[in-house]
């Protein structure tokens, strides 16, 4: 995904300093500092693979219906819309769907990153989705990676 704006602890940062989570998603086993983050993007900034995952999720809901699932009932009533249609006709429901697919959104962060920029934060959760017109804002907690100390060079022995 192409991130248009990124903030960590309320300070604007280069979006390329955030990288998708790996095994630490939703956990902090290493005691890294947790900071709030926010990223902003549009649906057009997402890769095709994300939309494929959305389609697979919808297919799973259709194949194995849960009559007690309110989200599923709303999507069924709308005839299983694409995300673009959902954003236009039911933005609040679209925000809930994106929140449900938070992990998949975070995995999409790698694409569009400048690989020459060092990673400083790894988003570990998506706790909130806000829609600002066509802009989508994700908020959650990111783990700040510790900087490695500068390697010391051995001094010349005389």
């Amino acid at each position: 995904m192409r991130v248009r704006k990124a903030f960590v602890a309320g300070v604007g940062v280069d979006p390329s300093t955030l990288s998708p989570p790996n095994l630490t998603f939703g956990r902090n086993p290493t005691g890294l500092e947790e900071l709030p983050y926010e990223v902003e993007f549009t649906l057009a900034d997402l890769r095709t693979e994300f939309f494929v995952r959305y389609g697979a999720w919808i297919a799973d809901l259709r194949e194995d219906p849960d009559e007690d699932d309110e989200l599923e009932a709303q999507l069924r009533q709308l005839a299983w819309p694409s995300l673009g249609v959902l954003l236009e006709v039911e933005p609040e429901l679209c925000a809930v769907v994106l929140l449900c697919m938070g992990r998949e959104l975070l995995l999409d962060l790698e694409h569009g990153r400048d690989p020459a920029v060092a990673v400083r934060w790894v988003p570990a959760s998506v706790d909130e989705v806000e829609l600002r017109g066509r802009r989508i804002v994700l908020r959650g907690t990111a783990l700040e990676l510790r900087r490695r100390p500068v390697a010391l060079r051995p001094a010349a022995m005389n």
Side-chain angles (χ1 to χ4, degrees):
M1 120 184 24
R2 176 180 166 230
V3 175
R4 295 174 183 262
K5 293 182 183 178
F7 299 88
V8 174
V11 176
V13 298
D14 180 342
S16 290
T17 59
L18 286 96
S19 182
N22 52 28
L23 299 177
T24 62
F25 183 81
R27 300 181 300 232
N28 188 357
T30 57
L32 298 175
E33 185 172 0
E34 295 182 357
L35 298 167
Y37 80 90
E38 178 178 300
V39 294
E40 185 176 305
F41 59 95
T42 68
L43 279 183
D45 295 324
L46 293 167
R47 294 177 311 133
T48 303
E49 288 84 350
F50 178 80
F51 296 100
V52 169
R53 286 191 293 269
Y54 171 74
W57 181 64
I58 290 292
D60 286 345
L61 293 177
R62 293 175 77 170
E63 290 174 17
D64 189 20
D66 179 356
E67 299 304 322
D68 297 328
D69 188 329
E70 184 179 329
L71 176 61
E72 183 179 321
Q74 291 176 326
L75 291 170
R76 185 181 304 108
Q77 185 178 23
L78 293 169
W80 309 105
S82 69
L83 281 172
V85 169
L86 191 58
L87 184 62
E88 290 294 322
V89 298
E90 290 289 339
E92 295 83 14
L93 184 59
C94 185
V96 172
V97 166
L98 292 173
L99 186 62
C100 290
M101 297 190 72
R103 182 173 183 0
E104 289 80 7
L105 285 169
L106 292 181
L107 292 175
D108 213 50
L109 278 174
E110 184 65 29
H111 300 275
R113 278 191 73 250
D114 180 352
V117 175
V119 174
R120 295 223 22 228
W121 298 280
V122 176
S125 69
V126 175
D127 302 325
E128 181 182 345
V129 174
E130 177 187 349
L131 300 177
R132 295 179 184 161
R134 296 209 178 275
R135 299 282 173 127
I136 300 164
V137 178
L138 296 185
R139 291 189 190 93
T141 302
L143 303 177
E144 182 173 25
L145 303 179
R146 294 184 183 163
R147 291 186 176 204
R148 294 182 182 170
V150 177
L152 299 176
R153 294 184 184 173
M157 303 283 286
N158 290 3

